[in-house]
Amino acid sequence: PVLPGIAGASFTGASDEHGTLTIKDDAALRHGERIHLIPGHCDPTVNLYDVYYPVRDGRVEELWPISARGKSQ
């Protein structure tokens, strides 16, 4: 699907941790510019990290420990 607000860019093949960002030469993006993607779900990925970093308005607000880290055996 086309990324809203970013002409010439699309994101396809979304999975738990990977996807493909396609950017045309005339896309409205500059090198190093940040984009915001929201995953559909993250359950298999959560097990890989110790902490969530909730972000609001571009700033980390808190740290949320992941108490089940490494428990999927």
Side-chain angles (χ1 to χ4, degrees):
V2 173
L3 295 177
I6 305 175
S10 64
F11 185 75
T12 57
S15 67
D16 293 336
E17 300 167 357
H18 302 91
T20 301
L21 178 62
T22 303
I23 302 172
K24 295 182 181 177
D25 288 339
D26 61 346
L29 286 172
R30 296 181 314 274
H31 181 76
E33 185 174 355
R34 290 183 179 205
I35 61 170
H36 187 104
L37 298 173
I38 300 172
H41 64 92
C42 60
D43 49 321
T45 307
V46 170
N47 186 57
L48 302 175
Y49 299 95
D50 297 321
V51 178
Y52 267 121
Y53 297 91
V55 175
R56 186 186 318 240
D57 297 325
R59 296 186 60 171
V60 174
E61 285 201 338
E62 300 180 40
L63 299 179
W64 296 348
I66 299 172
S67 58
R69 164 71 161 115
K71 304 294 187 210
S72 64
Q73 296 152 354

